[in-house]
Amino acid sequence: MKKALFPGTFDPPTLGHLNIIKRACTFCECLYVGVANNTQKTNAIFSVDERVEMLREVTKSLSQVKVTSFPGLVVDYALSHGMDALIRSLRTSSDLDYEFAMALANRRIGDIETNFLMAGEGLGHISSTLIKEIARNGRRLDAFVPKEIEEKVFRRLTSAL
Ligand code: COA
């Protein structure tokens, strides 16, 4: 595949996200990782610019990855930037209903397919919410977020107590 978009909130990026990015790079010539900046999640801990910066840091060795942010609908950004497909991940069956609806809506609006990758082994339990709870209770995050951003994420989450 020439060009694909992996959209998300990434508040913060996790080892689960990085695993999906690396695996998508095995079949995408160019992978855009897009931070949505109009998400309905209004209680973000990190600004959109901080999330973009963290994603750039953890993907700097992956030459085909471009990290960006976008307003509005995923499908509009994807179409205006010539994406061949969207990439999303499924962790457990509880992700399925939401992802199914979004994939169908995006195909209906923009005639664009969504390719799903199953979460990596041992990473299906990770979520941004879980990470926030763990850090707020004083536990380090090495098992959940990339090492390059662990300190920043831990400090921010503990100072947000
Ligand atoms: N590993 C670890 N965690 C993962 C993961 C993986 N492989 N895949 C998802 N997650 C987690 C995230 O950490 C996040 O956790 P949280 O709910 O505790 O915060 C959760 O799963 C979902 O996050 P994400 O994949 O970033 O999706 P999202 O639902 O927050 O955002 C958008 C998806 C960006 C597409 C969407 O919400 C959005 O805002 N789009 C813009 C408007 C639009 O186009 N809507 C669709 C209309 S059809």
Side-chain angles (χ1 to χ4, degrees):
M1 187 182 306
K2 267 200 152 24
K3 205 170 169 187
L5 171 67
F6 176 30
T9 305
F10 304 111
D11 185 50
T14 68
L15 285 175
H17 295 132
L18 186 58
N19 176 269
I20 298 297
I21 291 168
K22 285 179 176 167
R23 286 163 52 213
C25 281
T26 65
F27 60 87
C28 295
E29 284 175 33
C30 180
L31 178 69
Y32 278 64
V33 178
V35 178
N37 70 7
N38 80 331
T39 166
Q40 292 178 7
K41 293 181 177 173
T42 50
N43 56 347
I45 301 285
F46 297 94
S47 70
V48 170
D49 287 347
E50 285 177 313
R51 285 177 258 158
V52 166
E53 192 187 310
M54 287 191 283
L55 282 162
R56 285 193 178 136
E57 174 68 24
V58 303
T59 60
K60 64 184 178 208
S61 63
L62 301 167
S63 58
Q64 68 267 60
V65 172
K66 292 187 196 311
V67 182
T68 187
S69 62
F70 64 91
L73 294 177
V74 169
V75 68
D76 287 333
Y77 182 82
L79 293 180
S80 64
H81 288 74
M83 302 294 163
D84 299 313
L86 303 174
I87 305 286
R88 293 283 292 168
S89 82
L90 292 172
R91 291 165 298 170
T92 62
S93 57
S94 60
D95 285 339
L96 191 60
D97 288 352
Y98 172 65
E99 294 296 340
F100 191 71
M102 201 156 59
L104 290 187
N106 285 330
R107 201 167 67 205
R108 182 71 193 261
I109 298 168
D111 193 23
I112 189 163
E113 292 289 352
T114 304
N115 288 242
F116 291 101
L117 295 182
M118 299 305 295
E121 293 85 354
L123 298 170
H125 60 294
I126 299 179
S127 73
S128 299
T129 303
L130 187 88
I131 285 170
K132 288 168 188 164
E133 192 177 344
I134 291 167
R136 283 177 179 144
N137 285 284
R139 289 280 187 170
R140 300 298 303 216
L141 299 170
D142 307 86
F144 304 97
V145 303
K147 60 179 181 324
E148 299 90 335
I149 61 170
E150 196 274 341
E151 181 73 22
K152 179 183 172 83
V153 173
F154 180 76
R155 292 278 161 240
R156 175 67 60 83
L157 293 176
T158 47
S159 71
L161 276 171

